[in-house]
Amino acid sequence: MAEPFLIGENMTGGYGAVDILHNCTLAVEKGQIAVIVGPNGAGKSTAMKAVFGMLNLRGGAVRLEGEDITKLSPQARVRKGMGFVPQTHNIFTTMTVEENLEMGAFIRTDEIKDTMAQVYDLFPILKQKRHQAAGELSGGQRQQVAVGRALMTQPKVLMLDEPTAGVSPIVMDELFDRIIEVARTGISILMVEQNARQALDIADKGYVLVQGANRFTDTGQALLADPEVRRSFLGG
């Protein structure tokens, strides 16, 4: 069987002597959406950071397109085609929207105009507000800037840590629609999400983590239909 496009396999590790992840495996195929859900403190964001190289693994490996990238720094992973949008502090508030997007293209030496046009097509409100300071935008618009900035690197994989945290249900639906559009362009999406039910609804693959380990892994729809998952993690 062919290996997934991106896989963090049997990841064990944490930030100090104590392991937060225990043989945790996450994978996503090209152009698909994989969602990580679970209770608070389950290690969801830690697992995502491990895949991006932000903590040292004591066990396991991360591979992108079959290449072992376990030892690479986050910066080197960006050059390999990984984009990461943290939950907070993910934009430059004093810069304009357009300057934020230009900052996203820092590793590129080619012309970025077409990519910027694609980001503006995806998020029309950003084009409208491109000369406005990003710090003046609403929460949902800031998230669009953060995602847009990550897309400026032309990533193969886009990793999102709670992209809908603190936004209204209407804005959440809109962000999820945009995430689906990004995946349709062939970019793989790996995201951590508190709004588990809505996230699993758009997910090709779902991972339920508990205490840093895989508890359930299946398609998004199968997890939504699983009585135990519903009872324990989706409020019935």
Side-chain angles (χ1 to χ4, degrees):
M1 199 171 124
E3 181 162 281
F5 187 71
L6 169 69
I7 183 166
E9 190 172 37
N10 299 330
M11 297 183 295
T12 295
Y15 299 103
V18 180
D19 288 337
I20 296 171
L21 301 177
H22 307 279
N23 278 327
C24 176
T25 294
L26 304 170
V28 63
E29 299 293 352
K30 190 162 180 56
Q32 291 199 334
I33 299 172
V35 170
I36 309 161
V37 299
N40 285 335
K44 301 185 295 292
S45 292
T46 303
M48 174 93 92
K49 287 171 181 168
V51 172
F52 192 57
M54 292 169 77
L55 81 161
N56 292 326
L57 292 177
R58 289 198 313 102
V62 181
R63 291 187 296 279
L64 178 64
E65 295 184 279
E67 181 188 350
D68 191 325
I69 60 170
T70 313
K71 298 276 192 280
L72 293 187
S73 68
Q75 292 85 342
R77 292 182 203 214
V78 170
R79 292 181 187 279
K80 290 283 183 190
M82 295 174 77
F84 181 72
V85 180
Q87 185 184 340
T88 55
H89 306 302
N90 54 19
I91 59 167
F92 299 105
T93 52
T94 57
M95 290 184 175
T96 66
V97 167
E98 193 144 295
E99 286 167 344
N100 267 275
L101 297 180
E102 287 167 353
M103 286 293 286
F106 71 100
I107 63 167
R108 291 177 55 182
T109 52
D110 59 334
E111 179 54 63
I112 65 170
K113 219 167 44 220
D114 287 352
T115 315
M116 194 168 288
Q118 288 165 356
V119 170
Y120 285 148
D121 281 349
L122 191 63
F123 302 120
I125 191 73
L126 298 189
K127 185 171 190 181
Q128 208 178 307
K129 295 180 180 272
R130 63 187 182 277
H131 301 307
Q132 203 170 324
E136 295 170 9
L137 304 181
S138 69
Q141 290 164 1
R142 286 176 178 223
Q143 284 300 79
Q144 291 181 23
V145 173
V147 172
R149 201 179 77 200
L151 289 173
M152 290 298 294
T153 64
Q154 296 184 304
K156 300 169 185 173
V157 178
L158 183 60
M159 303 171 67
L160 307 170
D161 193 358
E162 309 230 1
T164 68
V167 303
S168 69
I170 291 172
V171 173
M172 176 181 72
D173 288 345
E174 193 187 327
L175 275 169
F176 280 164
D177 285 346
R178 298 291 89 79
I179 287 166
I180 291 167
E181 281 184 50
V182 171
R184 282 190 185 135
T185 67
I187 296 172
S188 306
I189 308 276
L190 180 64
M191 69 177 183
V192 170
E193 188 48 70
Q194 284 285 27
N195 295 296
R197 195 181 290 271
Q198 293 89 337
L200 288 172
D201 198 39
I202 68 164
D204 298 290
K205 192 80 171 277
Y207 295 93
V208 181
L209 298 193
V210 177
Q211 294 179 328
N214 295 82
R215 177 65 63 87
F216 298 95
T217 301
D218 213 325
T219 65
Q221 293 306 316
L223 290 173
L224 282 172
D226 185 310
E228 195 180 341
V229 172
R230 288 166 67 111
R231 192 173 58 247
S232 303
F233 305 104
L234 303 177

